[in-house]
């Protein structure tokens, strides 16, 4: 399902969500994550994927891509973030991360609701 389809589902109805938020403007990103968390069932899990700002900065520093490739990335990606910010935000919203890693310039963070 794409983001619009997920957001149209009733709250508490989805068992697993996997979403890449690179195309989401940064100002809206955390509001959308809160909405996505509401769509999960009590035992549901969420996987959030996005371009890792630290990996991108490191790639620029080491010149691992051409200037044209970096410009293309900046043109297409509306929201870069860090793994730590995502983990912190999920924890603040009562979600415990099950796995978080950097993979090929992206962060991949999987979390599940903390049973309260």
């Amino acid at each position: 399902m794409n983001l619009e389809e997920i957001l149209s589902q009733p709250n508490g109805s989805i068992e697993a969500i996997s979403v890449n938020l690179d195309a989401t403007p940064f100002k809206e990103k955390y509001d959308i994550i809160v909405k996505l968390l509401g769509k999960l069932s009590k035992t549901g899990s969420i996987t959030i994927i996005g371009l890792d700002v630290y990996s991108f900065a490191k790639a620029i520093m080491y010149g691992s891509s051409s200037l044209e490739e970096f410009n293309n990335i900046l043109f297409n990606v509306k929201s870069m973030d860090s793994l730590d910010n995502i983990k912190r935000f999920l924890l603040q919203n009562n979600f415990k991360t099950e796995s978080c890693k950097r993979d090929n310039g992206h962060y991949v963070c999987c979390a599940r609701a903390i049973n309260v």
Side-chain angles (χ1 to χ4, degrees):
M1 280 193 277
N2 64 32
L3 186 59
E4 292 79 26
E5 291 171 337
I6 294 169
L7 292 174
S8 69
Q9 300 297 314
N11 284 349
S13 65
I14 302 174
E15 189 62 36
I17 295 174
S18 180
V19 64
N20 184 322
L21 297 176
D22 284 344
T24 305
F26 191 79
K27 291 180 180 182
E28 300 171 16
K29 181 179 200 165
Y30 289 103
D31 292 334
I32 288 176
I33 292 174
V34 169
K35 290 176 185 176
L36 291 172
L37 296 177
K39 302 298 178 182
L40 290 171
S41 65
K42 290 184 181 187
T43 59
S45 67
I46 186 166
T47 301
I48 301 174
I49 304 162
L51 187 62
D52 183 61
V53 69
Y54 294 119
S55 297
F56 185 73
K58 191 186 246 185
I60 291 173
M61 187 174 83
Y62 291 118
S64 61
S65 295
S66 71
L67 186 57
E68 184 178 335
E69 290 171 317
F70 288 131
N71 284 336
N72 189 34
I73 291 169
L74 289 174
F75 181 76
N76 291 314
V77 174
K78 296 179 182 173
S79 176
M80 281 189 226
D81 213 334
S82 73
L83 183 64
D84 295 330
N85 285 346
I86 296 297
K87 284 171 54 174
R88 187 177 312 112
F89 185 79
L90 289 169
L91 187 59
Q92 289 171 348
N93 285 278
N94 296 322
F95 275 74
K96 182 179 182 204
T97 55
E98 295 181 331
S99 70
C100 287
K101 62 182 178 176
R102 287 184 175 91
D103 184 28
N104 198 24
H106 286 77
Y107 58 82
V108 179
C109 192
C110 302
R112 192 174 297 276
I114 298 172
N115 295 328
V116 182

